[in-house]
Amino acid sequence: SRVRRAGSPRLLSPGSAVSVALSVLKSVGVGYAALCGAVFFFQRQLQYFPSKSHPPAPGAIHPAFRDILEVELLSADGTRCLAWHWPAPPAGAAVPPFFWLRAPGGGGYTESALRAACAALRQQYPWLGWVDVLMFHGNAGDRSHRLGWMHLLRDGLGLSVTVLDYRGYGGSAGSPSEQGLIADGLAAAQWLRAKRAAEGSVGRPLVLWGESIGSGVAI
């Protein structure tokens, strides 16, 4: 008779080893296919993280924002998009405090130092009051999360600022997609051009500000 010591490894026959390997590969293949399918069907949810609800009125967030206007735009495919437009301040207006800046900002600027820097830039470049900035934000949040930037650009540098909420963001209709975001950005730019033409200020410089995924829209 054949004796095998307890605890000694049992060797698989070549046929059994191949069968186990195929079984493992099949399980891995099924799992990989399921993962690819999930990524395909949920790719937009993995790419875009919008705040879908309509944000509060700017003046309700802080009195400093009460002059911001809400604008309704129609994209090329008829999708209704919303934006906030903040006209440039009157010429010679003082730079107000940046109340939202609690700690030193970028470059170690304190709030008072940042205000002084903005005032110096306005004096050095008085034409800044003629610049329109159109901001295309990133893939998360909505226009209300860019109020700090709006305040810095408008009240700090004296620019006109417009922030677009793409389809599916901040109360805008539809769902986000690459082509949809580009179409919405084009509609916002066309709205600004039409506004400038109606005001007789066609020569105003237009700056496209892209944040994260918004850089692709700007380009």
Side-chain angles (χ1 to χ4, degrees), residues 144-166:
S144 67
H145 299 113
R146 278 74 188 180
L147 280 170
W149 282 115
M150 293 185 75
H151 195 214
L152 178 61
L153 293 171
R154 192 264 186 183
D155 280 342
L157 297 180
L159 315 175
S160 156
V161 185
T162 304
V163 180
L164 168 70
D165 259 333
Y166 321 108

Side-chain angles (χ1 to χ4, degrees), residues 38-114:
V39 170
F40 177 79
F41 285 108
F42 296 102
Q43 57 183 311
R44 289 189 180 180
Q45 287 88 337
L46 297 172
Q47 184 178 5
Y48 305 108
F49 305 94
S51 294
K52 298 181 180 181
S53 59
H54 194 295
I61 297 174
H62 193 280
F65 306 137
R66 61 182 176 273
D67 292 332
I68 296 178
L69 308 173
E70 183 163 283
V71 179
E72 183 175 315
L73 312 169
L74 284 181
S75 197
D77 61 358
T79 302
R80 170 182 164 273
C81 296
L82 300 175
W84 279 349
H85 173 70
W86 203 354
V95 178
F98 298 117
F99 57 88
W100 42 267
L101 186 61
R102 303 298 182 189
Y109 279 101
T110 62
E111 190 278 333
S112 57
L114 184 59

Side-chain angles (χ1 to χ4, degrees), residues 131-136 159 192 196 204-209:
V131 175
D132 292 320
V133 174
L134 176 55
M135 184 180 292
F136 301 123
L159 315 175
L192 262 179
R196 290 153 70 184
R204 292 176 67 105
L206 174 60
V207 175
L208 303 181
W209 177 305

